[in-house]
Amino acid sequence: ALATLPDLEIISGHFLTNETYMPLAGSLPGAQPKYAKVIKTEEKGSDVNLATHLLWDGFRKRYEAAVLVTNDSDLLEPVKIVRRELGVVVGIVNPHRKASRVLAREASFVKPIRTAALKASQFPTTITDAHGTITKPSSW
């Protein structure tokens, strides 16, 4: 659906899923921990990609202000560099109840995503582009 918007570039990360053994919670101190085989899914690359483009586009003066939809403190250093070295406004729109304190200290501003604003920004249930029709799953 986002790809139907003009002048929007989508830069994705990817997900890795693998089986691994992890210790069970609640092991007694000093006791041999018990392990369980679990399926672990990790998102990889999105924060690095976002940081890279924030910096690269900032140094090339491709924006006057940046707004990140995140609560990921891994983005602290690029936010600091863009604000302090480039003098560019960097705002954080927070998708969680509590904002990262370290990001909040460095950002020009932090705003929560209000429920009404989120509802108002949704795509219609069905959209059509040159490739066909896209329908939002009913569970959404």
Side-chain angles (χ1 to χ4, degrees):
L2 286 172
T4 66
L5 298 174
D7 301 321
L8 177 74
E9 180 183 6
I10 298 173
I11 299 162
S12 301
H14 62 278
F15 285 91
L16 294 178
T17 301
N18 63 336
E19 292 182 0
T20 188
Y21 286 92
M22 298 188 78
L24 290 170
S27 296
L28 297 173
Q32 187 72 4
K34 294 183 179 179
Y35 287 81
K37 189 174 186 179
V38 298
I39 297 172
K40 187 175 178 182
T41 302
E42 296 179 276
E43 182 280 323
K44 302 300 262 179
S46 293
D47 54 353
V48 172
N49 290 344
L50 178 58
T52 300
H53 285 274
L54 178 70
L55 290 164
W56 181 242
D57 291 344
F59 278 107
R60 293 167 69 199
K61 300 184 183 325
R62 290 189 144 184
Y63 58 83
E64 295 176 15
V67 178
L68 307 178
V69 180
T70 189
N71 200 38
D72 188 344
S73 61
D74 287 348
L75 295 168
L76 176 63
E77 197 61 23
V79 168
K80 275 186 190 180
I81 290 169
V82 170
R83 289 231 30 240
R84 294 179 184 184
E85 300 299 322
L86 303 180
V88 176
V89 169
V90 180
I92 303 293
V93 178
N94 183 13
H96 299 281
R97 288 181 190 252
K98 291 187 178 182
S100 161
R101 280 184 252 162
V102 294
L103 274 180
R105 280 196 300 263
E106 287 299 327
S108 305
F109 63 86
V110 177
K111 301 274 185 186
I113 297 177
R114 295 183 324 274
T115 303
L118 185 61
K119 284 181 182 178
S121 67
Q122 297 295 301
F123 283 102
T125 301
T126 302
I127 61 173
T128 303
D129 69 0
H131 303 289
T133 300
I134 303 166
T135 302
K136 186 187 313 185
S138 60
S139 62
W140 290 10

